[in-house]
Amino acid sequence: MNGMIWDPRWEQADRGTLEGHQLELLREQVKRCFALPYYRRKMQDAGLSPCDIKSLDDLRLLPFTTKKDFMDNYPFGMFAVPLNEVVRVQGSSGTTTGKSSIAGYTRNDISTWSNLCARLATAAGVGSQDIAQVSFGYGLFTGGFGLHGGLERIGALVIPLSSGNTARQIKFMMDMKSTALISTPTYALRIAEIMKEQGISSKDLFLKWGLFGGEPWSEAIRQQIDAQLGLIATDNYGMSEVMGPGVSYECLQRNGMHVAEDHFIIEIINPETGETVPEGEVGEVVLTTTTKEAVPVIRYRTRDLSRILPGKCPCGRSHRRMEKVRGRSDDMLIIRGVNVFPTQIEGILLSIEHTEPHYQIVLTKRGALDVMEIQVEVTEEIFHDEMRRLKQLEEEIRYRLKNELNVECQVKLVEPRSLQRFEGKARRVVDNR
């Protein structure tokens, strides 16, 4: 299955045409940014002016932008147009300082964004005949409004339920015969769990497509969602600082995420040195917007870890593909000198029989040493079995984590439905160190 292609002119553009387009847009964007005090100061400190950008390789000369820059320029210091040209703001959930990363949108930005999300939805199988249930949160979070606009653009019937009230979500799915579910992968699992409690099977639903994003998730979680909801789950990627969802997305081949290179330039850098890594190596994703008007962003450090995949996708799209995000550089756990990501632990847990897709990682200190305890829910069947079988399962999990990730941990098997559930992004790690 390849699915339809929404915008063949650009999604299938040859490399020469695409890179020429990127350079033209980049040079204009740098000029626009240089007119802003914030960017002009950073470029002058680096000894640069817009005329220094003569090729795409010169992008690496430009300074990085970080989340701190958005905090320092809160709320409107990153805006490149007067406020009377901004028709909407969106943003991140904020930090302990109470400040969000505020992103503004002109009318053209909203149109561009909905077109990008139309590409995303079309690549994931959705068409004008579909009934799409948006269970992303609405509000400042970009997921709900972003996908909503793209789904409307392609002519799908959109049900803007937002997240929460899971029993109601399931009722609407059944009553309205929803064919597409849009949410975080964590919330999709929650929906599946409540369905099971209510005695509802995926065969009672009409779902075909699942468009999930907002957090890193493993292939093991994808398989769980596919099986439990009876759909084809695809990943999509973006962040409020550069636009929202639509930066990259999987097609039905599910072998990498197509980057919308006619609107964004992607780099993969070493997060420690800031230098570009060889193609195919894992590093931090850095994004430059080339068409965003209200808040243009140059070389935004996402902290997300991925790599560029080699070769072309059979779907016919020509843009480069990035691997599903492995995690964030600031989410990496260092346990007694070993680097490990929650998604790696997740993949191992879900490959073991009798575990459920609900777990939590608790970090504490014992003297000078880090201690990691993994609390994982198990099935009803084994939880009420004899103690010997539970001990065997604990030992199997501990052995697999040690053997495959070289990490020592404690394992605590907990009762089904005892760990906290999330309607948005999951919080898998509790750091009590």
Side-chain angles (χ1 to χ4, degrees):
M1 292 185 295
N2 290 341
M4 299 292 289
I5 294 179
W6 175 254
D7 188 2
R9 178 193 174 196
W10 286 112
E11 291 183 80
Q12 295 182 304
D14 66 80
R15 200 75 218 162
T17 299
L18 184 60
E19 290 184 357
H21 180 66
Q22 284 183 319
L23 179 58
E24 181 182 348
L25 292 174
L26 175 64
R27 296 183 71 180
E28 289 303 312
Q29 193 76 300
V30 171
K31 289 177 186 176
R32 294 180 69 245
C33 287
F34 196 74
L36 295 174
Y38 159 73
Y39 274 119
R40 184 167 60 251
R41 183 173 61 252
K42 291 188 80 166
M43 284 191 236
Q44 287 176 338
D45 288 347
L48 293 171
S49 69
C51 62
D52 293 316
I53 307 304
K54 298 181 174 65
S55 71
L56 288 177
D57 287 340
D58 292 332
L59 177 63
R60 62 183 174 77
L61 303 175
L62 294 165
F64 292 113
T65 305
T66 66
K67 197 175 190 73
K68 184 177 183 299
D69 293 318
F70 278 86
M71 301 294 108
D72 292 345
N73 289 278
Y74 175 89
F76 303 130
M78 303 283 284
F79 283 34
V81 298
L83 285 183
N84 63 4
E85 294 182 24
V86 177
V87 298
R88 189 194 299 172
V89 294
Q90 308 249 202
S92 67
S93 55
T95 66
T96 54
T97 66
K99 294 180 179 179
S100 298
S101 298
I102 297 297
Y105 301 79
T106 64
R107 289 191 186 280
N108 283 339
D109 289 336
I110 294 293
S111 178
T112 296
W113 190 19
S114 64
N115 191 57
L116 286 169
C117 287
R119 288 186 190 181
L120 180 166
T122 304
V126 181
S128 59
Q129 75 284 356
D130 281 294
I131 299 172
Q133 187 160 316
V134 180
S135 300
F136 267 137
Y138 283 71
L140 279 181
F141 175 63
T142 55
F145 280 108
L147 270 296
H148 186 124
L151 291 161
E152 284 189 341
R153 177 71 71 95
I154 65 177
L157 191 163
V158 183
I159 309 171
L161 271 185
S162 192
S163 58
N165 198 338
T166 308
R168 184 168 175 257
Q169 299 272 356
I170 296 166
K171 176 174 169 47
F172 267 72
M173 275 185 210
M174 299 177 73
D175 292 349
M176 298 195 179
K177 298 181 171 58
S178 304
T179 57
L181 173 64
I182 295 88
S183 73
T184 62
T186 296
Y187 193 49
L189 288 173
R190 177 61 173 161
I191 290 171
E193 183 178 50
I194 298 300
M195 283 171 50
K196 185 177 180 181
E197 291 175 4
Q198 294 179 345
I200 297 170
S201 161
S202 63
K203 294 178 181 177
D204 299 316
L205 303 179
F206 299 84
L207 292 175
K208 296 188 294 183
W209 320 113
L211 285 62
F212 304 116
E215 61 188 2
W217 49 301
S218 65
E219 287 297 326
I221 287 288
R222 191 208 297 273
Q223 292 167 15
Q224 292 262 350
I225 294 172
D226 280 356
Q228 293 178 22
L229 292 179
L231 47 70
I232 299 174
T234 53
D235 198 358
N236 57 76
Y237 175 72
M239 68 289 302
S240 58
E241 289 83 2
V242 299
M243 182 68 84
V247 172
S248 68
Y249 45 87
E250 287 184 315
C251 67
L252 293 178
Q253 295 288 330
R254 303 198 292 187
N255 64 352
M257 305 175 72
H258 298 271
V259 181
E261 290 191 275
D262 52 329
H263 294 274
F264 307 97
I265 300 176
I266 185 171
E267 302 171 81
I268 306 291
I269 66 165
N270 181 317
E272 300 298 326
T273 66
E275 296 297 318
T276 302
V277 303
E279 188 156 307
E281 285 191 15
V282 174
E284 180 183 343
V285 176
V286 172
L287 293 167
T288 295
T289 67
T290 56
T291 57
K292 187 82 182 291
E293 292 181 344
V295 185
V297 180
I298 292 175
R299 304 194 81 197
Y300 180 71
R301 293 192 59 163
T302 67
R303 297 295 180 187
D304 293 320
L305 297 173
S306 182
R307 67 187 179 101
I308 298 298
L309 296 175
K312 294 182 179 180
C313 182
C315 75
R317 293 172 176 85
S318 59
H319 295 185
R320 291 192 297 174
R321 292 168 299 131
M322 58 182 277
E323 185 180 57
K324 271 171 63 68
V325 172
R326 298 186 176 198
R328 292 176 56 82
S329 59
D330 46 5
D331 283 346
M332 184 176 71
L333 308 175
I334 304 176
I335 308 299
R336 302 187 186 186
V338 178
N339 299 342
V340 62
F341 291 95
T343 50
Q344 293 177 293
I345 294 171
E346 176 180 278
I348 291 173
L349 292 177
L350 296 185
S351 69
I352 297 173
E353 191 178 4
H354 301 302
T355 61
E356 296 281 10
H358 304 286
Y359 67 95
Q360 191 152 65
I361 301 166
V362 180
L363 305 176
T364 55
K365 279 280 191 183
R366 182 180 298 152
L369 295 177
D370 294 320
V371 176
M372 178 169 68
E373 178 183 83
I374 299 176
Q375 301 173 359
V376 56
E377 290 186 14
V378 294
T379 60
E380 291 276 5
E381 172 194 358
I382 196 166
F383 187 78
H384 295 293
D385 208 325
E386 59 187 48
M387 184 63 69
R388 178 177 59 84
R389 288 196 67 195
L390 288 172
K391 285 293 184 185
Q392 286 174 342
L393 181 57
E394 279 185 13
E395 287 301 322
E396 181 181 0
I397 294 171
R398 194 178 296 114
Y399 171 80
R400 289 280 301 276
L401 290 169
K402 172 64 177 174
N403 189 53
E404 296 180 34
L405 300 181
N406 196 31
V407 63
E408 297 277 3
C409 67
Q410 299 174 357
V411 176
K412 181 179 180 180
L413 305 182
V414 300
E415 189 175 4
R417 295 176 296 281
S418 62
L419 295 177
Q420 184 180 357
R421 298 299 192 259
F422 302 93
E423 295 172 355
K425 299 180 183 182
R427 294 184 293 277
R428 299 294 193 192
V429 180
V430 177
D431 194 341
N432 295 324
R433 290 179 291 183

